[in-house]
Amino acid sequence: MRRLFPIEQAFLAQTRWKRTARSGKDRWEIRRLFLLRPHWSAELTDLDAIDWDVVIVGGGNAALCAAIEAAEADARVLILEAAPKPYRGGNSRHTRNFRCMHRGPLSVLTGAYGEDEYFDDLMLVTKGKTDEGLARLAIRSSEDCLPWMESHGVVFQPSLSGTLSLSRTNAFFLGGGKALVNAYYNAAEDLGVTVAYDAEVTQIEIEENRFAGLTAVISDAETRIEGRALVLASGGFQADLDWLARAWGPSAKNFLIRGTPYNRGVPLRTMLDHGADSVGDPTQCHAVAIDGRAAKFDGGIVTRLDCVPFSVVVNRDGERFYDEGEDVWPKRYAIWGRLVAAQPDQVAYAIIDSRAIDLFMPSVYPPETADTLEGLAQKMGLPAHRLRETVDAFNAACREGEFHPTELDGLATEGIEPPKTNWARPIAEPPFYGYSLRPGVTFTYLGLKIDETARVSGPSGRFENIWAAGEIMAGSILGQGYLAGFGMTIGTVFGRIAGQEAVKHD
């Protein structure tokens, strides 16, 4: 098919339609894209011939929010996505919800979720390790982000069974993160954003505190690209196992990488080599307990196991090591990756009985099952005698009380260490079920230091024309721990800010 001349493109664009969702209703609107703004879409062979207004490294939520904001301000925008097109979107395609402040019912969200409550929830999981100014900026801005997301094609759904405790705090994507990513790419395409896939950035040039250009390998060909502004939204370094091992030690080679395999941290390392200020601890990350049978890379959210609050969790020696019922799961699930990482061989095992099997989201792999604890131990490679002793001691420490699986119920053990402070019921009703657990790393927290405009800081103050958004700067706010849906909040808020600020730059 021949390439259309610009006048032909403009004529066709006059009748381009885009479906959007606003206030829960579908409606159609005409976008006269070429009449309202220039169309800057370029052939991939022309990338080095264009002086781009904004070059964006990364192709997930933060990158797309930046691209849309910049393109709506008539900027010539280029996205460099390291993944092939079928795997575009980074970790965003594995997400399922957006944590949002709101003063009253908003879209699918119920009730109200105020700034202070939101911030308190964040402080609980980070134990105070956060930049309060940036955190509150993200929280306050989230309220405006949700309708903005809907106006750009993202559709939300009410909370489903198993997620009802989040109906007030988290808005779930209809179709999951993949649907969100596709909606944003459609919006970006309509706005004339150019996207290069299989585009791995290998070098970033900085001259006198300014971004001067970069080198990318695109479909095995090296290309130098220039632009007036650079937005870095390329995630963490979790897919570089050698880097993980340098931070954590050799045990990191046993970790599973729940997130995208394309976040190898090359843009982050390049910026650090240029003297960019860093934030965060390289050993801190979003790490959850996932099924030990999951793939080494890219298992995504379906490999997460939500059974821990209703189980006893033991290590390879059959011993408990932490309070399984410390808090409601959306606030505490992200601590379990690190807890399992600290155990011998970086493995643990969740043991439940027949009363608990239907209390959590179904697992993608079926559990091991047996009619006796000894039989289950044999199947899972655990010492049967020690597992029996551990479960018997736990059962003896349980007490009578009301069991409420969807809220803190205070049904705690007595006289045992570690305690179980909620949902403590004896593991006594056969058949018994077991899951192996391993640390599943979604993204790392070592990143670039930014200010409230998302501008990156360097050896001579702020870089003149470099911004960052998403996981590459999330360590500013997430010093440790994680809050369900908050990664999408950070990416959306600071992606939008970065896109808006980048086009203001002269």
Side-chain angles (χ1 to χ4, degrees):
M1 182 177 179
R2 71 176 178 85
R3 184 179 178 184
L4 298 177
F5 291 107
I7 188 66
E8 294 173 299
Q9 294 176 331
F11 174 79
L12 291 176
Q14 290 181 34
T15 57
R16 182 174 294 182
W17 296 74
K18 179 184 177 185
R19 193 179 186 185
T20 63
R22 291 178 179 168
S23 303
K25 298 180 180 179
D26 288 342
R27 74 184 194 183
W28 296 86
E29 64 176 8
I30 297 177
R31 305 196 68 169
R32 297 180 182 275
L33 300 175
F34 291 91
L35 299 182
L36 297 175
R37 58 177 62 84
H39 183 64
W40 300 112
S41 184
E43 296 290 340
L44 295 186
T45 55
D46 300 334
L47 298 183
D48 58 351
I50 297 173
D51 184 15
W52 299 94
D53 293 317
V54 181
V55 177
I56 299 174
V57 181
N61 172 59
L64 291 162
C65 290
I68 291 168
E69 288 284 5
E72 288 183 334
D74 297 335
R76 293 168 294 185
V77 181
L78 171 65
I79 289 177
L80 298 172
E81 164 62 289
K85 186 174 182 179
Y87 296 98
R88 68 186 182 183
N91 290 334
S92 302
R93 61 193 175 88
H94 292 312
T95 61
R96 59 176 181 168
N97 63 82
F98 172 80
R99 183 170 287 259
C100 183
M101 170 190 150
H102 53 107
R103 296 173 177 83
L106 178 66
S107 185
V108 297
L109 294 169
T110 61
Y113 186 44
E115 177 182 341
D116 289 340
E117 182 185 1
Y118 196 150
F119 184 73
D120 288 344
D121 286 343
L122 178 64
M123 292 291 283
L124 178 67
V125 299
T126 62
K127 300 187 185 302
K129 294 183 178 180
T130 189
D131 182 315
E132 181 172 352
L134 294 180
R136 287 190 178 275
L137 174 59
I139 290 168
R140 287 193 300 268
S141 301
S142 66
E143 187 172 30
D144 292 333
C145 285
L146 192 147
W148 181 89
M149 296 165 76
E150 289 183 321
S151 73
H152 289 88
V154 179
V155 181
F156 293 95
Q157 64 180 1
S159 296
L160 302 177
S161 175
T163 61
L164 293 177
S165 62
L166 298 176
S167 65
R168 189 172 59 87
T169 60
N170 292 59
F172 284 76
F173 312 130
L174 181 63
K178 186 74 170 179
L180 173 139
V181 166
N182 288 341
Y184 281 160
Y185 271 104
N186 289 340
E189 179 185 356
D190 283 349
L191 291 164
V193 173
T194 298
V195 181
Y197 298 104
D198 286 305
E200 183 177 3
V201 173
T202 57
Q203 298 178 38
I204 297 173
E205 301 168 26
I206 297 177
E207 298 176 0
E208 299 181 350
N209 214 40
R210 290 178 54 86
F211 164 65
L214 58 77
T215 301
V217 177
I218 304 174
S219 299
D220 298 323
E222 193 171 88
T223 303
R224 186 179 184 278
I225 295 168
E226 295 183 354
R228 296 173 57 251
L230 174 67
V231 175
L232 297 169
S234 50
F237 65 86
Q238 70 279 350
D240 185 334
L241 295 180
D242 290 334
W243 193 346
L244 276 183
R246 290 195 296 273
W248 282 79
S251 65
K253 294 297 181 76
N254 289 330
F255 295 176
L256 303 179
I257 310 306
R258 178 178 178 242
T260 173
Y262 299 99
N263 283 9
R264 303 184 186 100
V266 175
L268 171 61
R269 170 54 62 195
T270 302
M271 290 300 298
L272 295 177
D273 289 344
H274 280 300
D277 292 337
S278 67
V279 294
D281 181 340
T283 69
Q284 292 291 338
C285 55
H286 182 300
V288 305
I290 68 174
D291 197 303
R293 298 163 291 182
K296 183 67 175 178
F297 291 96
D298 214 29
I301 197 167
V302 298
T303 61
R304 195 179 91 188
L305 294 173
D306 294 345
C307 58
V308 168
F310 311 116
S311 72
V312 294
V313 179
V314 301
N315 59 23
R316 70 173 187 192
D317 301 320
E319 298 174 349
R320 291 178 63 240
F321 53 89
Y322 198 79
D323 178 359
E324 301 93 343
E326 185 177 49
D327 204 341
V328 291
W329 195 231
K331 295 182 181 179
R332 303 308 287 163
Y333 76 95
I335 70 170
W336 278 89
R338 295 186 65 83
L339 291 170
V340 173
Q343 298 306 305
D345 296 335
Q346 295 70 56
V347 64
Y349 303 86
I351 310 298
I352 61 175
D353 68 6
S354 61
R355 291 189 297 174
I357 191 64
D358 295 323
L359 296 179
F360 53 90
M361 296 288 283
S363 57
V364 68
Y365 301 112
E368 297 287 356
T369 183
D371 290 330
T372 66
L373 283 172
E374 289 78 7
L376 184 64
Q378 183 177 11
K379 284 188 173 183
M380 304 192 77
L382 291 169
H385 177 68
R386 183 64 187 126
L387 179 62
R388 166 59 72 180
E389 289 181 339
T390 296
V391 174
D392 285 349
F394 172 81
N395 290 350
C398 293
R399 58 186 175 83
E400 295 294 324
E402 292 292 326
F403 174 78
H404 299 287
T406 61
E407 60 187 36
L408 294 175
D409 62 4
L411 188 57
T413 55
E414 291 181 345
I416 192 173
E417 289 294 334
K420 185 173 181 179
T421 50
N422 293 281
W423 311 296
R425 295 193 301 178
I427 308 294
E429 298 291 335
F432 300 97
Y433 302 89
Y435 292 95
S436 62
L437 307 176
R438 285 200 178 273
V441 179
T442 308
F443 65 93
T444 47
Y445 288 177
L446 177 68
L448 301 176
K449 183 178 181 181
I450 65 164
D451 63 12
E452 67 281 357
T453 68
R455 188 90 65 94
V456 177
S457 298
S460 302
R462 301 188 308 171
F463 288 101
E464 290 188 23
N465 59 346
I466 304 177
W467 289 261
E471 293 169 2
I472 199 171
M473 47 67 59
S476 299
I477 301 173
L478 291 167
Q480 67 177 57
Y482 189 70
L483 195 61
F486 194 51
M488 290 298 291
T489 306
I490 294 172
T492 305
V493 169
F494 288 98
R496 293 186 65 197
I497 290 173
Q500 294 164 1
E501 294 293 325
V503 296
K504 294 178 184 177
H505 175 72
D506 188 352

